[in-house]
Amino acid sequence: MSQSADPKPAPDSPVVAPASMFSDCGDAPCPEPVLPTATAEQQAALTDGVRMRENPAEWAFVRLSKLIEDYEKTLDKDEEVGARIVGLPGDGVMQIEDVGFWGPDFILFLGKNADGRPVRLIQHYAQINVLLDARKKPDERPARRIGFQLSELVEKTNPKQT
């Protein structure tokens, strides 16, 4: 009886993704998003300075932060970015104050609910669905923009600084 060259792992052993499943763009351009109404320049701006990451949560965070920053460019001075997220209590709306990640798999949204109470959404990177929404800012302060803060964090964690 011959032994197979590829023995099956034990049923309770952890699943290990092959290294070939992850890539790093290195000096090559990263994939650009496909947005039917965007110009080539708009699409290229989303990937400017972006490098792929091996950590899937970090890679999702990097692209999400660019999309938030791009969305904020469409807001007027009295609006801030909010989100409507399935699974949140009430109307499912939260004002996003910050976004982070805890690799290898969590994306974190920090903000306030409709009552002004703090909320923290912890979501698996593979299940992320966020509808960015313009919310009226409180009258007593200028509108906050979180996109540039997220971009700074992306830059700090960029594995290929040039």
Side-chain angles (χ1 to χ4, degrees), residues 50-136:
V50 173
R51 301 267 184 242
M52 287 180 69
R53 313 297 172 93
E54 290 183 21
N55 177 329
E58 184 178 0
W59 181 222
F61 168 80
V62 166
R63 291 175 291 149
L64 178 64
S65 66
K66 290 295 266 187
L67 291 166
I68 289 172
E69 184 178 24
D70 185 63
Y71 180 77
E72 285 180 329
K73 292 175 186 175
T74 70
L75 302 179
D76 71 29
K77 66 179 181 63
D78 294 325
E79 294 176 322
E80 298 177 326
V81 68
R84 186 172 307 271
I85 303 172
V86 175
L88 283 180
D91 63 1
V93 173
M94 71 179 284
Q95 175 187 353
I96 299 174
E97 294 179 341
D98 208 354
V99 180
F101 68 93
W102 186 359
D105 53 355
F106 289 143
I107 301 291
L108 312 169
F109 293 90
L110 309 163
K112 292 192 168 50
N113 66 13
D115 297 327
R117 308 249 328 139
V119 293
R120 179 180 299 176
L121 174 66
I122 303 160
Q123 193 160 22
H124 191 271
Y125 78 93
Q127 295 179 334
I128 191 165
N129 294 296
V130 179
L131 172 65
L132 299 178
D133 187 348
R135 313 301 299 164
K136 192 78 168 159

Side-chain angles (χ1 to χ4, degrees), residues 16-48:
V16 179
S20 61
M21 197 171 163
F22 302 102
S23 61
D24 184 337
C25 287
D27 294 328
C30 289
E32 290 183 1
V34 177
L35 300 166
T37 60
T39 66
E41 292 80 20
Q42 290 169 324
Q43 288 180 198
L46 284 172
T47 59
D48 184 38

Side-chain angles (χ1 to χ4, degrees), residues 26-28 48-51 155 158-162:
D27 294 328
D48 184 38
V50 173
R51 301 267 184 242
E155 189 58 33
N158 191 342
K160 303 252 183 186
Q161 294 288 332
T162 53

